[in-house]
Amino acid sequence: MEREMELGDKAVGFLLTLTSLSIFTYYTFWVIILPFVDSDHFVHKYFLPQEYEILIPVIAGVVLLCFLSIFVGLVMLKSKKKKTT
């Protein structure tokens, strides 16, 4: 049973690593290399417009901060309830 769980964890870890590496490669190519490619080149149709280069990470950061703040707040409320009981 433990061996099956270990293989499942490895598979999930591999998929998460592959996904994050793909996103990193796509974003790096989009932000660093694409501005130097001619605008009529066919590769531009695979990427979003340049305006989203900064907008997407900023929105993702704000959402992450919101969820993190909610999580910390809930943990603090739960720990306060435990102390009072």
Side-chain angles (χ1 to χ4, degrees), residues 8-46:
D9 289 344
K10 284 184 179 181
V12 169
F14 177 75
L15 285 175
L16 287 173
T17 303
L18 188 65
T19 302
S20 62
L21 186 61
S22 300
I23 291 171
F24 176 77
T25 304
Y26 178 87
Y27 187 77
T28 302
F29 187 81
W30 181 32
V31 172
I32 296 176
I33 297 173
L34 202 61
F36 298 107
V37 177
D38 290 334
S39 59
D40 58 343
H41 198 274
F42 77 93
V43 78
H44 278 277
K45 69 180 178 181
Y46 297 111

